[in-house]
């Protein structure tokens, strides 16, 4: 019973072609003399057959390369280049591989350059705004200004990713947009907190001098719990004893330094307490 041979994989075919045995001349039993009339040894005739065998081997490899290229659906000029590559010496093949790799890298750079500039999605902005208050209301926060809150927020963004493309942090021009929005969100929340503290003191502005004064009777001030509730309003944070103690410290510092140095003075007070 005849057996049907299974199709050979395209990659295996290339390897088989390289190992294929080329036809050789069948020698008769007659022994030739060691030296012919011209004085040359029989070894010279064997050396003459070697290039012919090598040529046949290259032809087999070229044919296999052509079939391989056709199966990979290469274009005609690409198949011709592949056939030429087979006959190239090893150093030249290495140079061609290096050149093709560099050309591919150039094409990838053009693709990246052609991409539209990165813009923060609405979902990403919403998530950053959601986590900014959580950072500023954390009991572990060491300072309210500077790099500390920004780095804490960026760590959350890097971990949760949201809609940020992979590897964006390695593109400075794009990553700075995320950092800038994080800083902006923290600034906005600090402003909201400061306004809530000011409102809790029931400020009164003189119509003539425009000087702002606060109710001397502290009973007219909002209590700390009410102020803390106003600060966490619109966030997923909750009021607890530790937060109330922080808010009380904020208002105490604000009464002495209500101007632009408020957050700096508050950070200094926190550092002093620690």
């Amino acid at each position: 019973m005849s057996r049907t041979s299974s199709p050979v994989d395209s990659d295996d075919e290339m390897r088989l072609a390289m190992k294929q045995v080329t036809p050789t001349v069948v020698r008769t039993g007659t022994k030739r003399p060691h030296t012919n009339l011209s004085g040359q040894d029989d070894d010279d005739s064997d050396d003459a057959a070697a290039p012919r065998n090598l040529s046949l081997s290259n032809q087999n490899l070229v044919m296999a390369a052509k079939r391989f290229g056709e199966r990979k659906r290469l274009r005609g000029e690409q198949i011709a280049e592949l056939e030429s590559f087979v006959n190239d010496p090893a150093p030249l093949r290495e140079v061609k591989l290096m050149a093709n790799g560099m050309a591919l890298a150039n094409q990838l750079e053009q693709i990246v350059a052609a991409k539209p500039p990165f813009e923060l999605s609405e979902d990403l902005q919403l998530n950053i705004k959601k986590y900014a208050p959580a950072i500023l209301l954390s009991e572990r926060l060491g300072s309210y200004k500077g790099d500390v809150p920004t780095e804490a927020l960026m760590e959350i963004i890097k971990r949760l990713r949201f809609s940020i493309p992979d590897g964006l942090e390695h593109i400075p021009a794009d990553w700075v947009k995320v950092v800038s929005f994080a800083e902006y969100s923290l600034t906005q929340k600090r402003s909201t907190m400061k306004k809530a503290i000011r409102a809790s003191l029931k400020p009164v502005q003189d119509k003539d001098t425009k000087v702002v004064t606060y109710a001397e009777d502290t009973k007219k001030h909002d209590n700390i719990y009410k102020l803390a509730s106003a600060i966490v309003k619109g966030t997923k944070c909750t009021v607890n004893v530790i937060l109330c103690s922080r808010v009380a410290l904020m208002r105490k510092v604000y009464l002495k330094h209500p101007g632009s140095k408020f957050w700096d003075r508050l950070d200094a007070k926190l550092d002093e307490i620690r």
Side-chain angles (χ1 to χ4, degrees):
M1 181 181 297
S2 62
R3 298 176 58 186
T4 303
S5 60
S6 58
V8 181
D9 183 78
S10 58
D11 293 335
D12 293 338
E13 182 178 354
M14 180 68 72
R15 289 191 288 270
L16 289 173
M18 297 176 67
K19 297 179 180 180
Q20 185 172 344
V21 178
T22 55
T24 56
V25 179
V26 179
R27 297 182 180 274
T28 62
T30 305
K31 186 175 182 180
R32 297 178 60 187
H34 292 289
T35 305
N36 56 22
L37 295 177
S38 62
Q40 295 180 339
D41 294 336
D42 289 340
D43 292 341
D44 293 341
S45 61
D46 293 337
D47 293 340
R52 182 174 66 253
N53 294 340
L54 182 59
S55 177
L56 290 173
S57 177
N58 284 351
Q59 290 178 7
N60 292 334
L61 189 55
V62 169
M63 292 176 61
K66 181 179 180 180
R67 289 195 297 270
F68 184 79
E70 290 172 347
R71 291 188 179 184
K72 295 298 181 181
R73 298 183 179 180
L74 299 182
R75 298 192 301 270
E77 67 273 15
Q78 291 176 324
I79 294 177
E81 186 176 355
L82 184 62
E83 293 175 351
S84 174
F85 183 82
V86 171
N87 291 318
D88 288 336
L92 181 56
R93 287 200 296 265
E94 292 179 359
V95 171
K96 286 186 174 181
L97 288 174
M98 181 65 180
N100 286 332
M102 296 172 71
L104 180 60
N106 292 338
Q107 293 176 1
L108 291 175
E109 289 179 359
Q110 292 178 358
I111 293 174
V112 173
K115 291 175 59 178
F118 169 77
E119 297 295 340
L120 277 73
S121 66
E122 292 183 2
D123 289 342
L124 177 56
Q125 295 182 31
L126 181 63
N127 282 304
I128 293 177
K129 290 179 180 178
K130 181 180 71 174
Y131 280 93
I135 295 297
L136 293 175
L137 298 176
S138 172
E139 62 187 63
R140 299 181 180 180
L141 188 64
S143 62
Y144 289 92
K145 287 187 66 177
D147 296 334
V148 173
T150 302
E151 290 177 357
L153 181 55
M154 294 309 300
E155 284 298 320
I156 294 176
I157 295 172
K158 289 179 182 179
R159 185 173 70 252
L160 300 181
R161 303 303 299 180
F162 304 121
S163 60
I164 298 177
D166 292 336
L168 187 73
E169 54 267 40
H170 303 303
I171 307 176
D174 291 336
W175 187 244
V176 71
K177 297 178 181 179
V178 182
V179 177
S180 296
F181 191 81
E183 293 174 340
Y184 169 78
S185 299
L186 291 169
T187 300
Q188 290 298 106
K189 185 55 184 177
R190 280 194 296 265
S191 176
T192 301
M193 293 167 63
K194 188 176 179 181
K195 289 178 180 178
I197 295 171
R198 182 178 185 273
S200 72
L201 296 172
K202 308 304 179 184
V204 177
Q205 186 179 46
D206 187 272
K207 294 182 180 180
D208 297 327
T209 63
K210 305 298 182 181
V211 175
V212 176
T213 58
Y214 304 102
E216 295 182 0
D217 186 0
T218 57
K219 293 182 179 180
K220 294 182 179 180
H221 299 169
D222 290 340
N223 59 48
I224 296 300
Y225 181 84
K226 186 176 181 179
L227 173 56
S229 298
I231 289 176
V232 302
K233 184 178 180 180
T235 72
K236 292 187 176 181
C237 301
T238 58
V239 178
N240 54 36
V241 175
I242 298 177
L243 177 60
C244 287
S245 64
R246 283 253 178 169
V247 171
L249 178 63
M250 290 179 188
R251 191 159 74 174
K252 182 178 180 180
V253 173
Y254 182 85
L255 284 169
K256 293 183 179 180
H257 308 283
S260 59
K261 296 294 183 180
F262 164 67
W263 294 106
D264 295 316
R265 298 294 184 180
L266 179 59
D267 287 346
K269 191 64 176 179
L270 285 174
D271 188 61
E272 179 184 330
I273 293 174
R274 288 197 301 270

